[in-house]
């Protein structure tokens, strides 16, 4: 008779945890708590309830999260430019975060404290896997674009990252179970997206494989160096998400960085300003070195003039927090000197 009663309770238990409404239904929560308490003196029965919970709640969480994650993986940026807030990834994570938070509260009203953590993490494993695979898909596309040297087209991911970070961290403690499920994918997204910054400076300095294997050629008509236009376009776009980028660069400067970002509210622009200065200094060295590969002195002069003029025009409107205040003035002086040399030939 006891076995039959336990089986009936288990069947009811499975039925009660199969949908959304039970989370706010106090009668169902009380009934579920009664079933769990009744099973505490029977380890096999308690284990069976745990297994039922993991199976059913895992399927429920997956069904609720998967559509937005799939939509995030198939997102294609508008060819005319990224519209901030249009990427579904932050919404997918905000939805998953809310769902997991509700699940954590739901479990707290039913299960003994010692069972909540392990059971929650096992039932939420499918959400963790969906989140990681989604981020891997998005950053995988980015890596392919960087291999084609499409740096500027990928800068929009810093905007997505800012929204993504806010969605995962909104109103939740870093120690919460919901955050523990989503944090690995967030850190992976941060560290992988950060490669855009390191690859760009490696491209300019010629220290990454593709820069060594496929160096940028200088046109014999001494037009603007392709690397100059790429760099200026990237820096101008980065400016729009400077707080996010500053936090990433600060993280990269620390030992054993795991992708944790500092609060965007604490941004002092020191890391991103240092990066901009490093990028610009390296680009100037590259321009000067490349100019010397041209066969004629006049070509060298025109190449330098074109590139410094492009830098002066392109960086002239970037806010002073990101570049040295004397930079544009220095470019104006360089351009004037090059013009005088040109006229004196």
């Amino acid at each position: 008779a006891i076995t039959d009663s336990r089986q009936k309770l288990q069947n009811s238990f499975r039925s009660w945890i199969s949908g959304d409404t039970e989370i706010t239904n106090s009668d169902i929560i009380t009934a579920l708590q009664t079933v769990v308490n009744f099973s505490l003196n029977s380890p096999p029965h308690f284990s069976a309830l745990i297994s039922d919970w993991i199976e059913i709640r895992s399927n429920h969480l997956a069904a609720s999260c998967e559509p937005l994650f799939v939509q995030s993986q198939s997102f294609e940026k508008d060819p005319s430019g990224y519209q901030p807030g249009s990427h579904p990834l932050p919404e997918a994570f905000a939805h998953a975060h809310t769902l997991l938070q509700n699940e954590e509260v739901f479990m707290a009203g039913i299960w003994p404290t010692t069972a909540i953590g392990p059971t929650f993490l096992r039932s939420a494993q499918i959400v963790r896997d969906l989140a990681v695979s989604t981020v891997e898909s998005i950053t995988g596309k980015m890596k392919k674009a960087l291999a084609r040297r499409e740096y500027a087209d990928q800068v929009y991911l810093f905007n997505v990252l800012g929204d993504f970070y806010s969605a995962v961290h909104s109103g939740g403690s870093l120690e919460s179970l919901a955050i523990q499920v989503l944090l690995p994918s967030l850190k992976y997204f941060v560290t992988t997206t950060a490669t855009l910054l390191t690859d760009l400076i490696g491209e300019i300095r010629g220290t990454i494989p593709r820069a060594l294997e496929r160096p940028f050629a200088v046109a014999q008509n001494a037009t603007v160096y392709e690397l100059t236009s790429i760099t200026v376009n990237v820096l101008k776009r980065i400016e729009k998400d400077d707080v996010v980028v500053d936090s990433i660069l600060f993280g990269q400067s620390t030992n054993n960085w795991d992708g944790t970002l500092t609060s965007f509210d604490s941004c002092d622009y020191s890391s991103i300003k240092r990066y901009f200065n490093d990028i610009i200094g390296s680009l100037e060295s590259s321009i000067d070195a490349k100019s010397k590969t041209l066969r004629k002195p006049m070509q060298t002069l025109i190449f330098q003039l074109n590139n410094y003029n492009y830098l002066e025009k392109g960086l002239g409107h970037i806010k002073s927090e990101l570049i040295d205040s004397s930079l544009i003035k220095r470019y104006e002086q360089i351009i004037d000197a090059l013009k005088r040399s040109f006229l004196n030939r």
Side-chain angles (χ1 to χ4, degrees):
I2 292 177
T3 301
D4 289 344
S5 296
R6 290 190 191 282
Q7 187 59 54
K8 289 178 181 178
L9 285 174
Q10 187 173 350
N11 291 340
S12 297
F13 183 86
R14 289 182 63 89
S15 175
W16 290 333
I17 64 174
S18 296
D20 279 329
T21 57
E22 75 285 346
I23 291 176
T24 55
N25 189 317
S26 58
D27 290 338
I28 288 180
I29 291 174
T30 300
L32 287 168
Q33 189 178 48
T34 300
V35 174
V36 170
N37 289 338
F38 182 67
S39 71
L40 290 177
N41 62 351
S42 173
H45 185 219
F46 186 77
S47 296
L49 294 183
I50 292 282
S51 297
D52 286 346
W53 182 279
I54 292 169
E55 175 198 341
I56 293 171
R57 298 308 295 174
S58 178
N59 290 336
H60 166 68
L61 292 172
S64 299
C65 291
E66 191 168 20
L68 279 173
F69 281 126
V70 170
Q71 187 182 352
S72 298
Q73 292 185 36
S74 59
F75 174 81
E76 295 292 339
K77 183 167 63 73
D78 191 320
S80 63
Y82 176 70
Q83 300 301 315
S86 62
H87 201 294
L89 181 70
E91 182 186 355
F93 274 84
H95 175 72
H97 187 213
T98 300
L99 200 69
L100 291 168
Q101 284 180 313
N102 291 340
E103 190 75 4
E104 192 173 346
V105 172
F106 180 39
M107 291 188 69
I110 299 166
W111 293 96
T113 303
T114 54
I116 292 174
T119 307
F120 177 92
L121 293 175
R122 286 176 64 191
S123 59
Q125 179 66 37
I126 193 164
V127 178
R128 182 186 185 281
D129 293 345
L130 277 169
V132 169
S133 64
T134 298
V135 168
E136 287 177 342
S137 173
I138 293 169
T139 54
K141 293 175 184 177
M142 180 204 75
K143 290 176 183 177
K144 292 178 181 177
L146 296 187
R148 298 191 298 269
R149 290 171 160 163
E150 297 171 0
Y151 290 94
D153 286 344
Q154 300 305 305
V155 172
Y156 81 96
L157 286 174
F158 294 121
N159 182 270
V160 177
L161 175 57
D163 292 341
F164 176 21
Y165 185 85
S166 299
V168 173
H169 283 270
S170 60
S173 164
L174 287 178
E175 285 73 39
S176 74
L177 293 173
I179 292 291
Q180 286 182 43
V181 171
L182 298 175
L183 208 52
S185 50
L186 172 60
K187 290 181 177 181
Y188 183 86
F189 191 82
V190 171
T191 54
T192 308
T193 306
T195 60
L196 188 156
L197 301 170
T198 52
D199 277 18
L200 178 62
I201 200 163
E203 188 88 71
I204 296 170
R205 292 173 175 170
T207 57
I208 59 174
R210 63 173 163 270
L212 296 170
E213 295 164 5
R214 295 180 290 127
F216 285 100
V218 176
Q220 290 302 308
N221 61 0
T223 53
V224 173
Y225 189 28
E226 185 180 1
L227 190 54
T228 303
S229 61
I230 287 174
T231 304
V232 169
N233 284 336
V234 170
L235 296 184
K236 287 165 67 175
R237 295 188 188 191
I238 282 177
E239 182 186 16
K240 297 176 183 177
D241 297 291
D242 50 11
V243 174
V244 178
V245 174
D246 185 77
S247 184
I248 291 173
L249 291 166
F250 177 80
Q252 285 183 316
S253 69
T254 60
N255 293 328
N256 302 316
W257 183 53
D258 66 352
T260 300
L261 294 179
T262 56
S263 170
F264 297 152
D265 296 332
S266 64
C267 173
D268 64 1
Y269 300 106
S270 59
S271 296
I272 189 170
K273 186 170 185 176
R274 186 161 50 249
Y275 178 78
F276 269 47
N277 288 335
D278 287 347
I279 281 276
I280 292 167
S282 297
L283 181 60
E284 289 175 7
S285 297
S286 182
I287 289 170
D288 291 343
K290 287 293 182 180
S291 71
K292 294 171 184 175
T293 65
L294 292 163
R295 291 192 295 268
K296 298 177 181 178
M298 183 61 76
Q299 288 176 319
T300 296
L301 184 61
I302 293 173
F303 179 77
Q304 290 178 336
L305 183 58
N306 283 336
N307 280 273
Y308 279 105
N309 189 59
Y310 191 91
L311 286 174
E312 189 265 333
K313 294 287 192 297
L315 302 178
H317 298 292
I318 288 182
K319 58 188 178 185
S320 59
E321 289 90 345
L322 306 185
I323 59 174
D324 287 335
S325 57
S326 62
L327 182 68
I328 302 305
K329 184 67 174 176
R330 182 166 65 82
Y331 283 159
E332 290 172 351
Q333 293 171 346
I334 291 172
I335 291 167
D336 285 343
L338 289 169
K339 285 180 177 177
R340 286 195 299 272
S341 295
F342 180 81
L343 292 173
N344 291 332
R345 285 187 177 271

